[in-house]
Amino acid sequence: MNAIQDIRDRVPALAQTVYGKPLVYLDNAATAQKPVEVIELLNRMNSATNANVHRAMYRLSDEATNLYEGARERVREFINAPARENVIFTSGATASINLVASSFCAKYLKEGDSVIVTEDSHHSNIVPWQLACEKAGASLKVLPIDENGVWSAQDIIPLLDERVKIVAATHISNVLGIINPVKELIEIAHRYGVPVLVDGAQGIVHTRVDVQELDCDFYAFSAHKIYGETGSGILYGKEHWLEEMPPYMGGGDMVGTVTFAKTTYAPLPLKFEAGTPNFIGSAALKPALDFAWEISQGECGKAVKESESKIIAYMKGALAEIDGAVLYGESQNRIPLFSFNVEGCHPGDIAQILDKMGIAVRTGMLCAEPLMAHFGVTSMVRASFAPYNTLQEAEYFISGLKRAVAMLR
Ligand code: PMP
């Protein structure tokens, strides 16, 4: 049996039709579809194990706590974090980055200091740092990309000085699909004593992430892009940073003792998990990561790699043949994600026509306005593939795109 079809059979949303056409879902970089194991866990918890974690002495709460903490252990293992204390549940990559930008910078970022971000950053890896810089009277520096959308780790050297307090780097751009040399960047930044946060919203899905091998100080990602539930995400942090950083939000669960005179905080990881967490969504990370792991291993993993290589080769070739098409981002090191424009055609019009053919793609600024400015455009069309997408879907997409272009010109 075909390994890719086997994966598809486990993801019910893929079997639907849109306007009477089979759905071709190519917006995976925004949200991936869920396998049955994730849906079943969400249903089970919503219908039976819906009880607050960590709080109560009764069976349902115990079960919910075990599922929540079990998912934390699965995340720890998946990214090879040293301990559960390093794994903080958040509401997503955005919340994880805001946590660090707010808490780390409150302690370490002072007037006249700076933060470095990479030019290919999502708004989530720009704006939180700008807010922190404004608060501290610090400035934002940018590690630039070249005309291909590639940044070089070496180019950070001239930007590094004793006033740089943290570097925030994109692992894989959600616009360009390029896998960046974050390990090399981390090595260089560390030589200058500067910690590095990696925005792994796309990186966690498409690469094997070992936080100890990467030696990153922080790694942020969302569950919903890796087959999990929306409103759940992870912040990995090195223990000494997390210990030294002040709490981000105050409330229940993150405290030791509370008096009106003084409050002490709960030990890690709960110090950063104030209030009732999204325990159902977070618990679903276990089956989500089990699924991600399973489809990346053995014969199935090999089939996925082969399929993705074929899709990349086909898409690059087919887009190059369309008159006036420009694909943004050129690198050997890429994932099957393609952002492009076609001369004379508005991206929004292309997407609307494709939608009527059952094809779901993303258009607009893709939450990366500075990157749009770099390429001199205000909008792009993005087709982002997951392991369950087939070469036949890529072919259908290209034939649909050709029809759309012919209609619009
Ligand atoms: N960074 C990157 C590279 C992303 O692709 C995204 C989501 N598109 C985010 C950050 C933000 O993720 P979320 O909206 O799930 O918090």
Side-chain angles (χ1 to χ4, degrees):
M1 196 44 198
N2 176 328
I4 307 299
Q5 187 57 47
D6 285 350
I7 301 174
R8 292 183 71 81
D9 290 345
R10 294 170 65 182
V11 182
L14 300 174
Q16 65 192 299
T17 53
V18 177
Y19 305 113
K21 311 267 179 4
L23 170 68
V24 175
Y25 185 75
L26 300 178
D27 195 20
N28 295 284
T31 291
Q33 300 302 334
K34 300 175 177 73
V36 277
E37 294 86 342
V38 168
I39 298 165
E40 274 167 10
L41 184 85
L42 293 170
N43 288 344
R44 178 152 67 89
M45 288 190 77
N46 273 311
S47 54
T49 325
N50 182 35
N52 240 332
V53 290
H54 299 147
R55 304 251 170 111
M57 292 288 219
Y58 57 86
R59 168 82 181 266
L60 290 193
S61 175
D62 262 0
E63 281 177 13
T65 304
N66 288 341
L67 288 163
Y68 183 70
E69 291 301 330
R72 194 192 306 276
E73 170 53 23
R74 184 66 184 99
V75 174
R76 187 208 62 70
E77 183 187 45
F78 194 82
I79 62 174
N80 192 30
R84 66 183 282 278
E85 284 75 12
N86 303 103
V87 179
I88 315 286
F89 280 122
T90 67
S91 64
T94 302
S96 302
I97 299 170
N98 274 277
L99 191 165
V100 180
S102 182
S103 168
F104 178 95
C105 293
K107 175 139 186 177
Y108 298 104
L109 194 71
K110 304 284 178 248
E111 197 175 341
D113 287 344
S114 53
V115 172
I116 302 177
V117 298
T118 53
E119 194 182 359
D120 58 351
S121 285
H122 187 279
H123 294 161
S124 295
N125 195 41
I126 300 172
V127 186
W129 304 110
Q130 279 175 329
L131 291 170
C133 284
E134 270 169 31
K135 211 167 174 180
S139 61
L140 197 70
K141 294 190 195 175
V142 181
L143 175 62
I145 51 171
D146 65 15
E147 66 283 2
N148 291 322
V150 175
W151 52 256
S152 145
Q154 298 290 329
D155 287 347
I156 201 166
I157 293 172
L159 301 177
L160 286 166
D161 58 40
E162 71 285 353
R163 300 310 303 263
V164 176
K165 291 295 142 66
I166 191 163
V167 175
T170 306
H171 194 171
I172 299 179
S173 157
N174 65 307
V175 177
L176 307 171
I178 293 170
I179 305 172
N180 290 311
V182 280
K183 188 169 160 58
E184 190 189 349
L185 187 83
I186 291 163
E187 263 168 35
I188 296 172
H190 283 178
R191 267 191 252 142
Y192 290 78
V194 181
V196 180
L197 173 139
V198 178
D199 174 357
Q202 304 297 333
I204 194 74
V205 188
H206 296 276
T207 63
R208 171 88 192 91
V209 174
D210 179 329
V211 288
Q212 295 191 70
E213 201 217 316
L214 264 184
D215 200 25
C216 54
D217 296 273
F218 301 100
Y219 196 93
F221 64 92
S222 300
H224 67 109
K225 295 183 198 288
I226 188 156
Y227 320 113
E229 179 64 310
T230 44
S232 167
I234 293 295
L235 174 69
Y236 158 81
K238 282 189 179 166
E239 195 171 342
H240 73 95
W241 291 124
L242 295 177
E243 286 291 1
E244 287 165 28
M245 282 158 51
Y248 174 47
M249 292 200 293
D253 247 22
M254 55 73 73
V255 291
T257 57
V258 183
T259 68
F260 287 114
K262 186 171 168 56
T263 292
T264 61
Y265 308 122
L268 292 171
L270 297 188
K271 174 178 151 188
F272 289 107
E273 293 180 11
T276 301
N278 176 7
F279 54 86
I280 298 182
S282 296
L285 254 167
K286 174 160 183 345
L289 295 183
D290 285 346
F291 176 78
W293 179 254
E294 207 187 310
I295 65 172
S296 72
Q297 297 301 298
E299 286 304 308
C300 183
K302 232 170 88 188
V304 166
K305 276 214 174 72
E306 269 169 29
S307 164
E308 289 190 335
S309 305
K310 278 188 194 153
I311 288 171
I312 291 173
Y314 169 75
M315 285 288 288
K316 282 173 75 172
L319 284 168
E321 277 172 18
I322 295 177
D323 185 35
V326 181
L327 174 65
Y328 301 99
E330 180 51 50
S331 167
Q332 290 302 320
N333 235 350
R334 67 172 307 137
I335 62 167
L337 179 157
F338 311 90
S339 295
F340 63 92
N341 270 308
V342 184
E343 216 179 276
C345 304
H346 191 278
D349 294 340
I350 291 178
Q352 272 187 341
I353 296 173
L354 290 175
D355 176 46
K356 296 292 180 295
M357 302 175 191
I359 302 169
V361 293
R362 188 66 146 217
T363 55
M365 290 191 176
L366 310 176
C367 294
E369 197 172 343
L371 200 44
M372 298 291 130
H374 177 95
F375 288 105
V377 298
T378 53
S379 182
M380 295 179 186
V381 184
R382 181 184 72 191
S384 56
F385 291 69
Y388 45 62
N389 289 120
T390 62
L391 182 61
Q392 290 70 32
E393 287 182 305
E395 288 165 354
Y396 180 66
F397 166 78
I398 290 292
S399 74
L401 177 63
K402 285 181 178 161
R403 272 176 66 196
V405 170
M407 285 163 76
L408 292 167
R409 273 191 178 149

